Amino acid sequence: MENCIFCKILKQEIPCFKIWEDEKHLAFLDVNPVNPGHTLVVPKKHEDYLFDLSDKEYTELMLAAKNVAKILKKRISCKRVGVGVEGFGVSHAHIHLVPINKAKELNPEKAKPMDKEKLKEIQNKLTS
Ligand SMILES: [Zn+2]
């Protein structure tokens, strides 16, 4: 879909800090993380609203998020990986996975830009 930033990332027109990928999904670091390791999991097929995905697509996306959450939990020091969906920022369905140590940390208002070097460092930690 034109003008969708995630579709542009999927077409490699915009770079991203990729963490994981399979045939139907891509996971990459949020450049405005709530906490270090904050990752977005997106279906490769453009769909605006998460709950407009078919049952199969929805289930596969959730399973993809589970895979990525396991990677985050193993490589980033945190008690849990929090899950968030609101979808007002980018109109391409996506799941936020945020390493957290307490519930209050799962707060989109805490999101702030992270510099590329730090993002690269986290990407290396998650993919090496
Ligand atoms: Zn899109």
Side-chain angles (χ1 to χ4, degrees):
M1 179 144 173
E2 274 177 55
N3 297 323
C4 169
I5 189 169
F6 290 171
C7 285
K8 286 180 179 171
I9 286 173
L10 288 162
K11 282 187 268 176
Q12 298 184 323
E13 291 172 10
I14 295 176
C16 74
F17 294 92
K18 184 166 93 178
I19 298 305
W20 178 88
E21 181 175 24
D22 73 3
E23 198 187 322
K24 295 177 183 169
H25 312 92
L26 180 69
F28 53 92
L29 293 176
D30 193 319
V31 295
N32 298 300
V34 166
N35 267 351
H38 181 170
T39 296
L40 304 174
V41 186
V42 309
K44 290 186 177 177
K45 180 190 148 204
H46 182 92
E47 181 66 65
D48 174 359
Y49 187 45
L50 181 72
F51 298 123
D52 283 339
L53 292 170
S54 71
D55 288 358
K56 185 166 183 281
E57 289 163 345
Y58 178 83
T59 305
E60 288 173 344
L61 178 62
M62 287 298 162
L63 291 172
K66 184 177 174 182
N67 267 332
V68 177
K70 282 182 182 170
I71 297 169
L72 295 177
K73 185 74 178 63
K74 202 191 289 183
R75 304 286 180 96
I76 303 252
S77 171
C78 63
K79 289 206 175 119
R80 287 178 184 260
V81 174
V83 180
V85 173
E86 34 79 10
F88 289 104
V90 176
S91 63
H92 180 134
H94 57 285
I95 297 175
H96 294 262
L97 295 176
V98 186
I100 52 172
N101 290 299
K102 50 183 183 232
K104 276 185 181 172
E105 290 179 14
L106 194 59
N107 175 5
E109 288 176 2
K110 277 185 55 201
K112 52 174 189 280
M114 181 177 268
D115 69 57
K116 287 201 165 83
E117 275 177 31
K118 181 72 182 160
L119 287 163
K120 182 80 197 157
E121 194 181 297
I122 294 168
Q123 182 193 32
N124 288 340
K125 195 170 171 181
L126 291 169
T127 55
S128 59

